[in-house]
């Protein structure tokens, strides 16, 4: 009988993951709710949902007859994911906190805390795990729209080998159908939005609290004309449209300069001229093995879209990546590129 720790957030995905494992009746299950630092210390910035989430978790655990434990990883969040996000923002880069959260917290610090008690860790991620040539492999979920392998692309081999994703073969609609069949109150609960550690705290409020404001100029790329002012470069990322406060748009951010404290924008009708298709991944991470061919797939952000690309290994071990037949105006330094061979997520790394 496998001993499985099931991460439960209160959402419909993790709830159905727990119920599916409980229905199998062949496992020793314990559910875990991970409590994070921000939900207490930053509560004044917004409505933090952890008490509401925990009530949903208790309901599904009662229904599944599975014991529940609450684990506080507040210090670990602060020292890893939150510190990483703030450092990246200060440097003018675009962080991916959810990618780091999975590697460092959900399948990192949590396993370090309780891993000797369990054989596997299960979660409600839309992804799949398989084994080939003796190595654990991460595969895209059945629901391409909800696939979350982008957020899992930095997991290590030992982490993937101990992971279970019980709903990876279901579409989101099927997940909700199963939740209704089990009578779960989370069946129609909306999906969580935003960054992993923020809960319902607005991202701009979080950034303002930690980094403050540093007003600067918004420049038009083609003319250098000052179109307006921003409150800090860290509130914006390459490819961003909302929140600029400029008339006559839409306008898109195409560059940030930390030294001059300026943001450069272009109008939508000139955006295609600023699109790029080449970038580097200086430190690629492979979950199992590097690609066996040069023409593979890449995601430069979470979502259904995956573009064909050609990768070349540089002399220093980094990757040069060129999108094939497509340009993208939203390639932002600091973001992760997740790389794929067919349905297998090979890994990836930070773009520069």
């Amino acid at each position: 009988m496998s001993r499985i720790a099931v991460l439960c957030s209160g959402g419909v995905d993790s709830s159905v993951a727990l119920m599916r494992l409980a229905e199998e009746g062949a496992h020793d299950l314990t559910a875990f709710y991970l409590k994070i630092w921000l939900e207490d210390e930053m509560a004044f910035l917004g409505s933090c949902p952890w008490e509401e989430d925990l009530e949903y978790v208790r309901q599904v655990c009662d229904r599944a007859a599975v014991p529940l434990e609450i684990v506080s990883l507040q210090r670990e969040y602060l020292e890893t994911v939150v510190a990483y996000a703030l450092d990246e923002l200060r440097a003018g880069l675009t962080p991916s906190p959810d990618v780091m959260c999975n590697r460092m917290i959900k399948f990192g610090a949590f396993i370090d805390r309780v891993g000797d008690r369990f054989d596997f860790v299960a979660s409600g991620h839309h992804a799949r795990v398989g084994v080939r040539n003796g190595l654990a492999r991460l595969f895209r979920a059945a629901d391409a729209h909800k696939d979350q392998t982008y957020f899992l692309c930095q997991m290590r081999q030992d982490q993937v080998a101990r992971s279970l994703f019980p709903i990876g073969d279901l579409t989101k609609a099927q997940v909700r159908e199963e939740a209704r069949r089990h009578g779960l109150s989370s069946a129609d609960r909306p999906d969580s939005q935003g960054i992993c550690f923020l809960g319902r705290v607005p991202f701009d409020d979080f950034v303002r609290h930690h980094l403050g404001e540093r007003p600067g100029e918004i420049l038009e790329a083609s003319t250098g004309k000052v179109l307006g002012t921003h409150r800090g470069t860290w509130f914006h990322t390459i490819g961003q449209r909302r929140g600029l406060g400029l008339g006559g748009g839409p306008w898109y951010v195409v560059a940030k300069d930390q030294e001059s404290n300026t943001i450069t924008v272009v109008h939508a009708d000139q955006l295609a001229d600023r699109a790029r298709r080449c970038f580097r991944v200086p430190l690629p991470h492979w979950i199992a093995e590097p690609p066996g061919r040069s023409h593979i797939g890449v995601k430069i952000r979470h979502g259904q879209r995956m573009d064909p690309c050609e990768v070349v290994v540089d002399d220093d071990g980094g990757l040069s990546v060129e999108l094939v037949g497509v340009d993208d105006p939203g390639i932002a330094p600091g973001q992760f590129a997740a790389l794929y061979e067919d349905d297998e997520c090979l890994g990836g790394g930070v773009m520069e």
Side-chain angles (χ1 to χ4, degrees):
M1 177 177 287
S2 297
R3 301 169 302 163
I4 303 176
V6 187
L7 296 175
C8 291
S9 65
V12 65
D13 291 328
S14 62
S15 298
V16 171
L18 177 63
M19 293 303 301
R20 294 195 103 190
L21 291 171
E23 271 194 323
E24 292 176 6
H27 313 294
D28 179 7
L29 304 177
T30 303
F32 287 87
Y33 177 80
L34 304 187
K35 194 169 183 299
I36 57 176
W37 76 280
L38 190 62
E39 294 170 335
D40 287 333
E41 298 191 16
M42 304 294 289
F44 65 92
L45 289 179
S47 175
C48 292
W50 73 268
E51 291 180 339
E52 177 185 340
D53 288 342
L54 191 52
E55 183 56 35
Y56 278 98
V57 173
R58 289 193 174 105
Q59 290 174 13
V60 70
C61 288
D62 289 344
R63 185 64 60 97
V66 170
L68 170 64
E69 297 183 24
I70 300 172
V71 173
S72 174
L73 294 173
Q74 295 167 318
R75 178 179 56 82
E76 290 85 350
Y77 259 94
L78 175 61
E79 294 177 353
T80 57
V81 179
V82 176
Y84 148 79
L86 293 174
D87 286 345
E88 293 287 284
L89 290 168
R90 286 190 191 97
L93 303 175
T94 300
S96 299
D98 292 289
V99 174
M100 299 304 289
C101 176
N102 286 316
R103 175 175 171 135
M104 303 300 293
I105 301 297
K106 293 179 181 177
F107 300 96
F110 173 68
I111 291 180
D112 293 340
R113 181 78 64 87
V114 304
D116 59 345
R117 297 167 48 194
F118 299 96
D119 304 307
F120 298 98
V121 174
S123 75
H125 284 94
H126 283 263
R128 294 176 294 150
V129 172
V131 177
R132 189 174 72 246
N133 297 334
L135 294 172
R137 313 277 177 158
L138 180 66
F139 295 95
R140 289 194 293 166
D143 190 330
H145 181 66
K146 290 295 183 180
D147 172 62
Q148 292 176 300
T149 52
Y150 177 87
F151 294 132
L152 301 169
C153 72
Q154 291 297 291
M155 288 180 64
R156 302 188 310 265
Q157 171 65 200
D158 62 298
Q159 293 173 324
V160 174
R162 294 185 66 180
S163 299
L164 297 175
F165 304 120
I167 65 167
D169 62 330
L170 302 178
T171 65
K172 187 69 179 195
Q174 290 172 328
V175 170
R176 294 198 183 277
E177 287 174 8
E178 285 212 14
R180 294 187 191 99
R181 178 171 65 84
H182 289 294
L184 301 181
S185 56
S186 60
D188 296 306
R189 197 179 188 202
D191 290 341
S192 61
Q193 301 293 327
I195 294 173
C196 58
F197 59 77
L198 290 184
R200 294 174 187 168
V201 176
F203 178 72
D204 282 2
D205 289 348
F206 164 78
V207 174
R208 186 180 298 107
H209 174 75
H210 285 279
L211 302 182
E213 295 189 357
R214 187 188 174 205
E217 295 176 338
I218 301 177
L219 308 177
E220 184 178 13
S222 59
T223 65
K225 178 182 177 182
V226 177
L227 300 180
T229 59
H230 63 80
R231 295 173 293 119
T233 57
W234 38 71
F235 292 105
H236 303 280
T237 188
I238 305 301
Q240 180 177 332
R241 176 173 66 88
R242 294 185 175 89
L244 292 169
L246 302 177
W251 298 91
Y252 291 83
V253 177
V254 293
K256 302 192 300 180
D257 190 310
Q258 294 297 96
E259 186 174 345
S260 64
N261 193 33
T262 57
I263 288 174
T264 302
V265 300
V266 297
H267 194 271
D269 57 15
Q270 298 176 322
L271 184 62
D273 298 333
R274 304 288 299 202
R276 295 184 293 129
R277 63 176 54 187
C278 297
F279 58 88
R280 290 193 76 248
V281 177
L283 296 172
H285 163 76
W286 307 116
I287 294 171
E289 297 174 310
R293 58 180 189 260
S294 60
H295 286 83
I296 57 175
V298 63
K299 288 185 180 185
I300 63 171
R301 60 184 64 87
H302 169 61
Q304 184 172 359
R305 174 179 164 181
M306 183 167 67
D307 295 316
C309 70
E310 183 175 6
V311 296
V312 176
V313 180
D314 300 331
D315 292 339
D316 61 2
L319 290 181
S320 292
V321 183
E322 181 177 356
L323 304 180
V324 177
V326 63
D327 297 320
D328 196 297
I331 296 176
Q335 280 183 321
F336 281 89
L339 299 166
Y340 296 81
E341 267 191 333
D342 302 320
D343 278 346
E344 181 182 353
C345 178
L346 301 171
V350 174
M351 296 186 292
E352 69 171 27

